[in-house]
Amino acid sequence: MSRFEASHVGSEEHPTIADISECLFFSPGDGRIWLQDQRMVLLHTEALGSLRRELVDSLGQESARGLFTRAGYVSGARDAQLVRKHWPDAEPAAAAMAGTRLHALEGLVKVELVHVRYDPETSDYEGEFIWHHSIEDDEHIAAYGIGGSPACWMQVGYATGYVSTLFGRLVVFREVACRSMGESQCRVIGKSAERWDDVEEDMRYLRARDFVGASQYSGVGGVSGAEPRAAALPMPPRKNDAMVGASSAFNAACHLLHRVAPTTATVLFTGESGVGKEKFASMLHSIGPRRDKPFVAVNCAAIPETLIESELFGVERGAYTGAGAARPGRFERAHGGTLFLDEIGTLSYAAQGKLLRTLQEGEVERVGGTRSIQVDTRVVAATNVDLRQAVREGKFRDDLFFRLNVFPIHLPPLRERRDDVPLLMSHFLQHYGRKHGRKVTGFTQSAVKALLNYDYPGNIRELQNLIERAVIVAPEGALLDVHHLFTSGETLDKNVLSVRPDGHLAGGDGVLLPQSVPTGQAMADRVGSGSLGQVEETLIRRALEHCGGNLSAAARLLGVTRPQLAYRARKHGCR
């Protein structure tokens, strides 16, 4: 892959991978608008301006700016995923410039390229753009007039989200001139994060809450040593307690964490294995009033059933053979602080009953003991199983479930917060590069594509392991590639049609086409020496014929989405 540089001032001839406008579909019959397979919405600019004014007036400019920046980041990340999905073989230059067309197509701004440079050997990016006709400026100036700070908050978030997702590393954009400041036009500069002196101010607007603080981004994009800004809440005690993310799902969980942290309520974290439940529990303790007291974590599944009671509640001397001295349990050790019970669904029924009593009475009784010991311990639990279902099956006490389920926080799997993958990639790359003393520069475009499309059955823990493995395996100074990352039997979703050994065509989801749809050699025989486009057209026509013209059924047959098939069918003139 070659390095690219481009420079056009006042030119309309931006590199592009297709006529982006052909990706937009209006379906007024069912009240939907599609940008390929992503649903869109038309909104009056006055309505957006009214929303913006209300948020600024009620929350303050800084909080409103953060909301719009995060919304823009998610939009940019979505568009980058769209480009990677539908034009997987596009050159970096074309894929990058497609974002400017999408940004314009969505009605936010006209983008003019000044210059851009991307080096795939070092994964380094730098670009400068001029924005014309910004809708954010129009509404901001109408409401507040000319001010002293830039106002294209959502557009800056969009650019950061798009380029960071496209190249798999943190690229930060800043608006250095803005019409809302009296300038004739808006000008933005984007650079790989380590090329800026300090990105803490920029990252502040991508965070839902201040407790996702400066030290958590000290390794993102190679930026280190930044002094954390003053905050009302303290930073986590451990440097590696990093909670990195900007997606709406991640921010929603952070908002809930912030609400419950100052209280003494019991919190129950739910979610699949590897989503970061212990990280959230540790952060909950770090930002709460018990932060100066112990945080004790217990993995209930790792302790044998015969020892779980003594581990949790302590043991008196002589209680059983080998108990030569009295020993406090985890509840006592966490007195005044927080006790985190991970995988609580694995506790035996007897241990559940004793835990319930401790939660109700605030006291424990050691194994072999005769007296109760008062404890002041906040309990935070986590599970990767459905406790309601376990209650229905008689495996978990209903009274204990209701005692634990005071304030539930669900942590979504990584496949549902893909907007966070580029930030996590950059964070883990720098973290493990420092930890293992390896010089790593970034990811190849093939690796970025694979990581963005992978389903992550092991969630964040799996992504963490993939990148640590690749940092160790890859040659010094090289970019991490697919063969460095996926070495232990992971299944990659290529999201393409592939020919099976039996000559039939399978879709990206493994759907096998029926015998009546020609595939393999039969397809080649029918179209002769035709091009790939002719093969695609024939395949689409036969699928539509087989399904009686039903687009949805034909799309399922081919293993693609309905909007994808509609676009291809219209392109080939299939009705």
Side-chain angles (χ1 to χ4, degrees):
M1 187 180 301
S2 60
R3 167 177 173 171
F4 78 79
E5 294 190 36
S7 179
H8 301 278
V9 179
S11 171
E12 295 289 338
E13 300 177 356
H14 299 319
T16 182
I17 50 180
D19 184 0
I20 299 294
S21 62
E22 292 186 5
C23 302
L24 189 62
F25 305 96
F26 290 85
S27 182
D30 59 2
R32 289 184 284 189
I33 302 171
W34 298 94
L35 183 62
Q36 285 288 35
D37 55 354
Q38 298 184 28
R39 189 172 178 181
M40 308 294 287
V41 63
L42 283 176
L43 182 69
H44 290 286
T45 57
E46 290 86 353
L48 182 62
S50 175
L51 173 64
R52 183 184 177 104
R53 287 194 300 274
E54 286 201 32
L55 288 174
V56 170
D57 293 344
S58 59
L59 301 179
Q61 181 166 305
E62 289 297 288
S63 295
R65 179 177 178 177
L67 285 171
F68 279 99
T69 301
R70 291 192 292 275
Y73 179 93
V74 171
S75 180
R78 287 285 189 275
D79 280 353
Q81 291 165 13
L82 181 151
V83 169
R84 282 223 168 269
K85 180 177 181 181
H86 295 284
W87 294 279
D89 299 321
E91 286 296 316
M97 296 311 300
T100 65
R101 289 291 180 90
L102 283 166
H103 211 173
L105 177 66
E106 291 160 10
L108 292 170
V109 71
K110 175 188 174 183
V111 182
E112 176 187 330
L113 170 66
V114 178
H115 72 84
V116 64
R117 178 186 59 80
Y118 174 71
D119 186 353
E121 297 300 321
T122 61
S123 202
D124 183 59
Y125 175 92
E126 183 175 0
E128 183 175 354
F129 302 86
I130 294 174
W131 285 342
H132 301 276
H133 319 308
S134 163
I135 179 59
E136 287 191 277
D137 275 331
D138 291 344
E139 294 302 319
H140 193 86
I141 292 172
Y144 302 105
I146 300 299
S149 61
C152 299
W153 308 328
M154 191 158 55
Q155 292 161 208
V156 168
Y158 179 98
T160 297
Y162 184 88
V163 179
S164 296
T165 300
L166 193 69
F167 294 130
R169 70 177 309 171
L170 182 60
V171 176
V172 174
F173 278 78
R174 291 178 181 172
E175 190 174 13
V176 297
C178 183
R179 284 199 297 122
S180 293
M181 300 169 63
E183 302 289 344
S184 60
Q185 58 195 8
C186 301
R187 184 177 294 265
V188 291
I189 296 175
K191 299 179 186 178
S192 300
E194 67 271 16
R195 292 177 61 86
W196 294 106
D197 292 335
D198 182 8
V199 296
E200 170 55 23
E201 186 70 14
D202 308 273
M203 298 310 300
R204 180 161 61 93
Y205 296 111
L206 287 179
R207 296 197 296 265
R209 290 290 174 183
D210 287 342
F211 61 75
V212 187
S215 68
Q216 293 165 26
Y217 286 95
S218 61
V220 178
V223 179
S224 60
E227 288 294 324
R229 69 187 189 93
L233 295 172
M235 298 308 303
R238 292 179 292 175
K239 185 177 180 179
N240 194 34
D241 255 350
M243 286 168 50
V244 177
S247 67
S248 56
F250 173 81
N251 285 329
C254 289
H255 278 296
L256 291 175
L257 201 67
H258 184 269
R259 294 293 295 176
V260 75
T263 73
T264 59
T266 301
V267 178
L268 177 63
F269 290 103
T270 63
E272 298 177 7
S273 178
V275 296
K277 295 186 287 291
E278 184 169 354
K279 292 289 186 186
F280 268 81
S282 176
M283 184 62 70
L284 175 68
H285 173 77
S286 299
I287 64 175
R290 297 171 179 257
R291 55 185 171 267
D292 296 326
K293 300 297 183 179
F295 174 81
V296 178
V298 181
N299 187 331
C300 300
I303 301 175
E305 183 177 343
T306 55
L307 297 178
I308 188 69
E309 289 191 35
S310 60
E311 285 295 320
L312 290 180
F313 309 115
V315 61
E316 292 288 1
R317 178 180 179 182
Y320 52 78
T321 303
R327 177 167 53 87
R330 305 297 178 95
F331 268 95
E332 291 181 69
R333 289 163 55 187
H335 179 69
T338 304
L339 176 63
F340 174 58
L341 300 175
D342 198 7
E343 298 193 56
I344 197 167
T346 62
L347 284 179
S348 68
Y349 219 76
Q352 291 176 32
K354 200 164 184 178
L355 174 60
L356 175 64
R357 179 181 179 277
T358 299
L359 293 176
Q360 290 175 332
E361 306 297 333
E363 59 185 30
V364 297
E365 186 176 306
R366 294 178 180 177
V367 175
T370 58
R371 64 185 180 91
S372 295
I373 301 172
Q374 291 293 319
V375 290
D376 175 21
T377 304
R378 182 179 193 175
V379 173
V380 177
T383 180
N384 58 11
V385 300
D386 185 347
L387 290 185
R388 289 186 183 275
Q389 181 62 31
V391 168
R392 287 191 289 268
E393 295 173 355
K395 298 178 181 177
F396 200 83
R397 295 178 62 115
D398 57 351
D399 47 5
L400 177 59
F401 169 71
F402 291 120
R403 174 65 66 172
L404 293 171
N405 199 42
V406 175
F407 198 93
I409 298 179
H410 179 70
L411 303 182
L414 188 54
R415 62 183 173 275
E416 294 179 9
R417 42 177 290 206
R418 292 187 184 275
D419 304 335
D420 293 334
V421 172
L423 294 176
L424 290 165
M425 287 167 59
S426 287
H427 174 77
F428 291 137
L429 178 71
Q430 299 301 323
H431 172 73
Y432 288 113
R434 291 192 303 269
K435 178 179 179 179
H436 298 298
R438 303 299 300 272
K439 182 182 178 181
V440 287
T441 55
F443 301 87
T444 66
Q445 288 301 295
S446 296
V448 171
K449 189 187 308 180
L451 288 170
L452 292 178
N453 291 323
Y454 186 53
D455 275 341
Y456 297 103
N459 292 296
I460 298 174
R461 185 182 296 123
E462 183 175 15
L463 173 61
Q464 185 175 351
N465 293 342
L466 289 174
I467 295 178
E468 182 175 18
R469 173 196 310 161
V471 166
I472 296 171
V473 170
E476 186 77 8
L479 295 175
L480 304 189
D481 209 342
V482 175
H483 63 277
H484 300 137
L485 293 157
F486 300 96
T487 62
S488 60
E490 294 88 358
T491 301
L492 295 178
D493 179 12
K494 299 183 184 301
N495 198 32
V496 295
L497 298 176
S498 57
V499 179
R500 290 165 53 106
D502 59 8
H504 290 83
L505 195 66
D509 58 357
V511 175
L512 186 65
L513 301 189
Q515 297 286 349
S516 59
V517 180
T519 59
Q521 186 60 46
M523 175 68 78
D525 292 341
R526 294 201 182 192
V527 300
S529 58
S531 67
L532 180 60
Q534 290 174 303
V535 174
E536 181 181 73
E537 178 183 350
T538 304
L539 179 61
I540 291 172
R541 289 185 183 277
R542 292 306 302 272
L544 288 170
E545 290 173 9
H546 179 79
C547 298
N550 187 316
L551 270 177
S552 297
R556 288 193 295 269
L557 192 66
L558 293 171
V560 296
T561 66
R562 186 185 186 281
Q564 284 176 314
L565 180 59
Y567 168 70
R568 295 293 181 186
R570 187 175 69 174
K571 177 181 176 182
H572 293 297
C574 304
R575 296 184 180 277

